[in-house]
Amino acid sequence: MSNYKPACTLIEAKHCIGASKESDQVDKGSYQQLVGKLIYLAHTRLDIAYLVGVLSQYMHEGDSLTVGIYTDVDYVGSVDDRRSTTGYCYLIGGNLVTWQSQKQRVVAQSSVEAEFRAMALGICEGIWIKNILNDLQIPMEGLITLFCDNQSTISIAHDPVQHNKSKHIEVGRHFIKEKLELGMFCTEYVSSTNQLADILTKGISVIELCKQRSKLGMNDIHAPA
């Protein structure tokens, strides 16, 4: 950029910037990546906050977005108190936006109970994100998909018959079943090797760690340019 001249201001005063369907198409992925970096920078750079806000308005182009959540559990993984660790990550339009890793408050009596607690926590987060998207008038494409690697949990969530083995998780089961019947969420089985939330529940090998980070869209800041 040796031939370029620096601008004295970040954005023109009294500007009139708006969306144009007749303008040339840009690389949507690159644009979102660049603006995403500026959003993080804006937390410590007061002078660019307004400009970043303007640029952020054109990140989605009005397209509908797919929303998915991966939930996973390391069942009784703690050797001290035998509590399970819950992990979930939310992707909007294929982009990671929110995640959490925490130890469950009580000891789960079964792996299904631990999975249900993780799924219920993910649904609560999903309802919050859905409300935010509605407030921003950003349309969603289809239902929020819950990706789980435990087929028993998915089966019990959809099965209206009360199982004796699941009496101790009835509240969580009915909460999840209610949201599924309302058409807010849908479940989908994902193999453990493709479970993106696995990185949030347990220690994994270097190879698996790099693979999971790549799938989550995380860039290695130490990689050569």
Side-chain angles (χ1 to χ4, degrees), residues 18-21 25-26 28 31-32 55-66 92-93 133 136-141:
S20 174
K21 296 182 179 179
Q25 293 294 320
V26 299
K28 181 178 178 180
Y31 182 82
Q32 290 178 335
L55 295 176
S56 301
Q57 297 177 33
Y58 307 102
M59 291 181 66
H60 54 80
E61 296 182 343
D63 295 338
S64 58
L65 298 175
T66 57
I92 299 180
L133 292 177
L136 296 175
Q137 298 182 356
I138 299 176
M140 286 177 48
E141 180 179 325

Side-chain angles (χ1 to χ4, degrees), residues 4-20:
Y4 286 83
K5 297 180 180 179
C8 57
T9 58
L10 297 175
I11 191 170
E12 293 182 2
K14 299 181 180 179
H15 65 85
C16 293
I17 297 178
S20 174

